[in-house]
Amino acid sequence: MRLPSWLKRRRFTTVLGFTGLCLVTLALTKAAETRNWLPAEPPSTPKGAAIAKPACPAPANPDPLLGARTREPGRWVGRRPVRADLPIVVMAGHADSQGMASAGTPGFMVDKQGQPPMQQGIRDELYWNLQVQKAIVQQGLNRGLNISAYNPPSFTIRNDADPDTNWSRAKLWSARGDYILEIHFDAYRPHGFGSGLIPAINRPLNVVDESLAQAFGRFPRNFRGGLGGPRRGIGILEIAMLEPPLEQKLRNPKTRSNTVNCLAERVVDALVKGVS
Ligand SMILES: [Zn+2]
C-alpha cells in the first residue's frame, strides 16, 4: 500500500527525531563518563544565596556544646500545663548590676588567661548573656513563640526595688502569669556548677520548666537557700560554665555567631517543646 506523501514525510521526521535524541543521550552519557575522570568540582554557591549555616552539635551527656551539667542536681518535676501563647520574657542576667558585687563572672579567659574583656565596663558574662538573649528572642519569634526581651535602661541600678530592675519587672510580670527566663553563664571550674535551670520559687513548676531542665539539667529548687531571682518568679538558666572550649568558640570571631545561635537554638527548642 502506498502511503500518502505527507505521512511518509512525517515518518521520516519521526525517525530523524528519534535518531537525534539517541545521539544527544549518547553524547551526554559520554560527557558524564569523561567527567568521572576529572577531579570533583567544588559545590557552587549561587550568587546572593545564603551560606548554609553549619549544623549545631546534637545534645549529649557530656555535651559537646554546653560541657558539664550541674554537679548539684535537683529532683523536682514541672507538670503544670501552660497556654500555647504563654508570654515569655527573656532577660539577661546581671544587666542592672555592673560595678556591684553581683556583676556576674568575668569568665576563664579574662580571669585566668589575662585576655581583655569583650566590652569595657561590663563583665564577660553579661556580654554573652545579652548576645544569647537577643538570639533567643529572634529565633523564638521566627518559630511563633509569644516571646520578648526586657533590658533595664542602665547597666547599674543600685536600688533593687527600682521599678526598672530585672527583679522588679519579673515580680510584676510573673504575678500576671508571664514566664520569666533570665539567661546566665556560670563561673568556670572549680567555682561553677555547670548548666541547668534554677526554677522559680513563687509558683508551681510547669512543663516549660520541665522542658528546659531536660535540655540543660536541673538545679535543686532551693539552690543556695532560694535566690533573689527565683523568689520573684525568675527561672535562672545557667547556659554553661564560661570556660574553654565553649568560651574560645564564643570569643573566636569565625565561630562566634554560629555558637551563639546554637546555644539559642537549644533554648528555643526547649521552649517550643514546652508550650506545645
Ligand atoms: Zn550569672
Side-chain angles (χ1 to χ4, degrees), residues 65-66 90-93 124-140 147 149 151 181-185 216 237-240 242 246 250 256-268 271:
L65 182 63
L66 308 175
V90 188
M91 298 176 168
D124 270 27
E125 182 190 342
L126 174 57
Y127 183 86
W128 297 119
N129 291 345
L130 289 165
Q131 304 290 313
V132 174
Q133 174 201 31
K134 196 172 158 194
I136 290 170
V137 174
Q138 267 171 5
Q139 290 185 28
I147 194 168
N151 295 102
L181 184 65
E182 197 179 69
I183 301 305
H184 286 253
F185 282 81
F216 287 86
L237 184 60
E238 299 286 3
I239 296 279
L242 194 50
L246 175 61
L250 286 168
R256 181 173 305 157
S257 83
N258 186 248
T259 306
V260 167
N261 280 321
C262 287
L263 293 173
E265 192 178 284
R266 287 280 182 101
V267 179
V268 175
L271 293 173

Side-chain angles (χ1 to χ4, degrees), residues 10-27:
R10 198 165 134 178
R11 279 176 66 179
F12 181 63
T13 318
T14 310
V15 169
L16 256 188
F18 181 69
T19 312
L21 192 67
C22 289
L23 282 174
V24 169
T25 312
L26 192 69

